[in-house]
Amino acid sequence: MSNPAILDSAALRQLMDSSDAPRVIDVRTPGEFETSHIPGSYNVPLDLLREHRAELRGHLDEQVVLICRSGQRSDLAAQALAEAGLPNLRVLQGGITAWQSAGGPIAHGQPRWELERQVRLIAGSIVLVSVLASTVVPGAEWVAAAIGGGLTFAALSNTCAMGMVLSKLPYNRGPRTEIRTVVNALAADRA
């Protein structure tokens, strides 16, 4: 797969203000999307996008800009859509975080902690508790070592198993996103 084009926030804003505005697909979890998103964007969580990429491909024939929190999930979504034969893919550099920092418009909903912050809390808590427990229970420090190894692997592989697990929790799921709802919204906006 060739790398998708990278857009900065200013370029996306310019595109969105043009007569040939791209479709902005937000691949974060429904809970993250509900908390804050770019007005007019569509929420297609990464797992749903991967599973239904061929079906989505039929509704995304024009320019598409993929966004997530920081760009990691957008890159994975771009790979999945490129494998389905979708051209003209672009990724927002720095994701919604960069968009907000640049002063782009945001629609706000129910506030939630971002997934990355939750991972830091859980991983840090496990490390802290296991190190403290190791003063009483010999070998407990190996739990901290395992978490450190997992975080190292997450950085090297650009994946996060803990984040994937946390995204499945009801707190992070938000309203359920169904493929029919997404496809109907894409088709309605095209008409």
Side-chain angles (χ1 to χ4, degrees):
M1 176 200 130
S2 63
N3 291 333
I6 303 297
L7 289 177
D8 64 15
S9 296
L12 176 57
R13 210 164 179 176
Q14 230 176 11
L15 278 174
M16 290 178 71
D17 291 339
S18 74
S19 60
D20 189 28
R23 298 238 186 180
V24 178
I25 305 296
D26 190 321
V27 299
R28 297 175 300 150
T29 66
E32 289 174 293
F33 183 81
E34 184 182 49
T35 297
S36 65
H37 61 273
I38 296 174
S41 61
Y42 300 88
N43 183 222
V44 185
L46 182 58
D47 291 344
L48 188 71
L49 182 139
R50 284 177 170 161
E51 184 178 341
H52 297 280
R53 62 184 160 211
E55 186 175 355
L56 287 167
R57 199 244 175 266
H59 297 279
L60 298 173
D61 55 354
E62 64 274 9
Q63 296 181 56
V64 174
V65 177
L66 299 162
I67 65 166
C68 64
R69 181 185 177 281
S70 62
Q72 176 183 333
R73 288 176 278 178
S74 296
D75 287 340
L76 296 173
Q79 181 179 4
L81 289 173
E83 289 169 1
L86 189 65
N88 302 325
L89 295 170
R90 298 177 186 183
V91 170
L92 176 61
Q93 183 178 29
I96 194 86
T97 303
W99 178 261
Q100 286 177 296
S101 295
I106 292 288
H108 292 283
Q110 177 184 351
R112 287 183 174 82
W113 276 20
E114 294 173 348
L115 209 50
E116 182 182 316
R117 185 176 180 190
Q118 293 174 50
V119 168
R120 290 191 314 253
L121 174 69
I122 299 299
S125 297
I126 292 171
V127 168
L128 178 63
V129 168
S130 63
V131 168
L132 292 174
S134 71
T135 62
V136 179
V137 180
E141 68 274 5
W142 289 106
V143 174
I147 294 296
L151 291 172
T152 302
F153 178 78
L156 294 174
S157 66
N158 204 23
T159 62
C160 183
M162 188 180 293
M164 287 185 253
V165 170
L166 289 172
S167 72
K168 306 287 186 220
L169 295 175
Y171 173 81
N172 290 317
R173 284 189 302 210
R176 186 168 168 86
T177 302
E178 300 286 340
I179 189 62
R180 281 285 112 223
T181 305
V182 172
V183 167
N184 289 341
L186 290 168
D189 286 348
R190 180 179 287 166

